[in-house]
């Protein structure tokens, strides 16, 4: 064992010396040896080694012609918001394999945000949003043949969700334009939601209450177009990043359940395009 240990140490030292000897930055401390012809006192021509100082030349930086343009100057404020509402109502609707659909519901969302430009083309700010989702399914049948039928009735769902997010947004003008520019928003979002859902009625009634905590880390690229000196139309393609959710449930005030999910999404979804107005003060 001692012999193996000594051999290992010897090989390690030899390896270090060989690497050091092959390193041009360590050999001769910045000098290199060069052959030189000289004549000695007897008149013979001899070859000697002389040290010649090395000269290291840095590669020239490529000038890509990219110049910083001020699209939105430091010291300005930005503010904006969006409101969305959608509603549906089905009465005895039949669609392919879906039969006798009796349902109604709506989805309401309000979102406000504001920020301050801490330097040219860079803003830091805060977003807050509220979402209310309501679904009331009176009757629903899925008919895939005589051997496979699913029927649901008296299904109720209601949820309130609150979100707060901090963001950093950077702008880049398109060419030398003062009207059209691209932006990218990096944000961290915390969400809290409370909801309840129930099925059946009478003695067959089941009710579940749940609380949801969520955390999102992502980016939202987009484009801005000024229509006046103080307002712009903005188009973004949704948030790409990571999402984490923690759900706790309580059914019939007796049973308890938990669920944790995490996901990552870096695909651009053209069906989740957001359009809004932002004001610069």
């Amino acid at each position: 064992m001692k012999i193996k240990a000594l051999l290992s140490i010897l090989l390690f030292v030899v390896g270090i010396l060989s690497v050091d000897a092959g390193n041009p930055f360590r050999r001769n401390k910045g000098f290199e040896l060069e052959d030189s012809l000289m004549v000695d006192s007897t008149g013979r021509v001899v070859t000697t080694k002389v040290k010649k100082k090395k000269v290291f030349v840095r590669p020239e930086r490529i000038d890509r012609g990219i110049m910083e343009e001020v699209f939105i100057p430091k010291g300005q404020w930005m503010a904006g918001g969006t409101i969305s509402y959608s509603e549906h109502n089905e009465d005895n609707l039949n669609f392919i394999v879906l039969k006798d659909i009796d349902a109604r519901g709506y989805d309401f969302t309000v979102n406000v945000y504001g920020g301050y430009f801490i330097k040219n083309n860079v803003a830091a700010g805060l977003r807050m949003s509220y979402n209310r989702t309501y679904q009331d399914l009176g009757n629903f049948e899925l008919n895939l043949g005589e051997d496979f039928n699913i029927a649901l009735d008296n299904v109720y769902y209601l949820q309130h969700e609150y979100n707060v997010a901090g963001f950093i947004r950077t702008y880049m003008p398109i060419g030398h334009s003062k009207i059209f520019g691209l932006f990218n928003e990096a944000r961290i979002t915390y969400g809290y939601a409370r909801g309840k859902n129930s099925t059946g009625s009478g003695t067959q009634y089941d009710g579940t209450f749940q609380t949801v905590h969520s955390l999102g880390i992502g980016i939202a690229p987009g484009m801005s177009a000024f229509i006046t000196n103080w307002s712009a139309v903005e188009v973004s393609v949704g948030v790409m990043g990571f999402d984490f959710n923690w759900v706790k449930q309580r059914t019939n005030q007796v049973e308890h359940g938990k669920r944790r999910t995490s996901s990552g999404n870096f695909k651009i979804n053209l069906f989740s395009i957001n359009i809004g107005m932002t004001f610069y003060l």
Side-chain angles (χ1 to χ4, degrees), residues 6 22 46 49 52 70 81-82 149 187 205 225 228-229 251 253 276:
L6 291 174
V46 295
K49 298 287 187 179
K52 182 181 179 181
V70 178
T82 59
N149 291 305
R187 65 179 72 161
Y205 178 85
T228 69
N229 289 334
T251 302
Q253 300 296 335

Side-chain angles (χ1 to χ4, degrees), residues 205-232:
Y205 178 85
D206 285 325
T208 300
F209 292 86
Q210 70 176 20
T211 58
V212 182
H213 297 271
S214 62
L215 177 66
I217 304 173
I219 58 175
M223 186 178 71
S224 179
F226 277 84
I227 56 177
T228 69
N229 289 334
W230 310 106
S231 61

Side-chain angles (χ1 to χ4, degrees), residues 18 62 66-67 80 85 101 111 118 254:
S18 62
I62 299 175
I66 299 176
M67 300 181 64
Y85 178 81
I101 301 175
N111 174 42
I118 57 178
V254 177

Side-chain angles (χ1 to χ4, degrees), residues 78-83 111-113 127 169 171 224-228 230-235 274-280:
M78 61 180 294
T82 59
I83 297 177
N111 174 42
V112 295
Y113 59 90
R127 286 180 173 272
R169 180 183 285 197
Y171 287 83
S224 179
F226 277 84
I227 56 177
T228 69
W230 310 106
S231 61
V233 176
E234 293 185 349
V235 179
N274 301 311
I275 301 176
M277 288 285 297
T278 300
F279 299 92
Y280 299 86

Side-chain angles (χ1 to χ4, degrees), residues 12 18 29 33-34 41 48 56 58 62 76-77 83 88 95 104 119 173 206-207 210 221 224 244 254 257 259 267:
F12 177 74
S18 62
K29 297 181 179 180
L33 297 178
E34 187 179 73
S41 58
T48 60
F56 299 99
R58 292 180 178 271
I62 299 175
Q76 280 202 294
W77 291 88
I83 297 177
H88 66 88
F95 180 73
R104 59 179 179 171
K119 59 184 298 186
D206 285 325
Q210 70 176 20
S224 179
F244 307 91
V254 177
R259 180 167 61 97
K267 297 185 296 182

Side-chain angles (χ1 to χ4, degrees), residues 1-247:
M1 296 297 292
K2 293 183 178 179
I3 295 176
K4 289 184 178 181
L6 291 174
L7 287 176
S8 300
I9 295 173
L10 181 61
L11 291 174
F12 177 74
V13 172
V14 171
I16 292 178
L17 293 177
S18 62
V19 171
D20 185 73
N23 190 338
F25 293 97
R26 293 186 179 181
R27 187 173 62 243
N28 298 325
K29 297 181 179 180
F31 293 87
E32 62 181 359
L33 297 178
E34 187 179 73
D35 292 336
S36 177
L37 299 178
M38 299 182 63
V39 180
D40 61 8
S41 58
T42 62
R44 293 183 304 170
V45 178
V46 295
T47 303
T48 60
K49 298 287 187 179
V50 296
K51 288 184 178 180
K52 182 181 179 181
K53 189 175 182 179
K54 294 181 179 180
V55 178
F56 299 99
V57 180
R58 292 180 178 271
E60 184 179 356
R61 176 175 289 183
I62 299 175
D63 185 5
R64 304 185 186 276
I66 299 176
M67 300 181 64
E68 182 179 357
E69 296 281 348
V70 178
F71 189 64
I72 300 175
K74 175 184 176 181
Q76 280 202 294
W77 291 88
M78 61 180 294
T82 59
I83 297 177
S84 65
Y85 178 81
S86 62
E87 182 180 359
H88 66 88
N89 192 344
E90 293 82 25
D91 183 13
N92 198 27
L93 177 69
N94 294 314
F95 180 73
I96 307 179
V97 296
L98 304 179
K99 307 295 183 181
D100 300 329
I101 301 175
D102 183 11
R104 59 179 179 171
Y106 62 83
D107 187 88
F108 171 73
T109 302
V110 58
N111 174 42
V112 295
Y113 59 90
Y116 177 77
F117 281 83
I118 57 178
K119 59 184 298 186
N120 292 341
N121 301 335
V122 180
L126 192 68
R127 286 180 173 272
M128 292 182 291
S129 66
Y130 166 76
N131 173 261
R132 177 185 172 97
T133 303
Y134 168 76
Q135 300 290 337
D136 187 358
L137 183 62
N139 185 67
F140 169 86
E141 293 183 13
L142 175 64
N143 189 348
L144 297 178
E146 296 181 357
D147 299 328
F148 190 82
N149 291 305
I150 297 177
L152 297 174
D153 60 356
N154 297 318
V155 178
Y156 174 86
Y157 175 76
L158 177 66
Q159 177 174 280
H160 303 270
E161 182 179 6
Y162 307 88
N163 290 282
V164 60
F167 68 86
I168 295 288
R169 180 183 285 197
T170 57
Y171 287 83
M172 183 181 67
I174 300 176
H176 300 285
S177 175
K178 300 295 183 181
I179 298 177
F180 299 98
L182 304 176
F183 68 83
N184 185 46
E185 183 176 305
R187 65 179 72 161
I188 299 178
T189 305
Y190 167 75
Y192 173 78
R194 290 181 62 89
K196 60 181 180 179
N197 62 79
S198 63
T199 59
S201 60
T203 58
Q204 302 296 323
Y205 178 85
D206 285 325
T208 300
F209 292 86
Q210 70 176 20
T211 58
V212 182
H213 297 271
S214 62
L215 177 66
I217 304 173
I219 58 175
M223 186 178 71
S224 179
F226 277 84
I227 56 177
T228 69
N229 289 334
W230 310 106
S231 61
V233 176
E234 293 185 349
V235 179
S236 61
V237 293
V239 179
M240 299 179 291
F242 299 97
D243 293 299
F244 307 91
N245 294 276
W246 297 268
V247 181

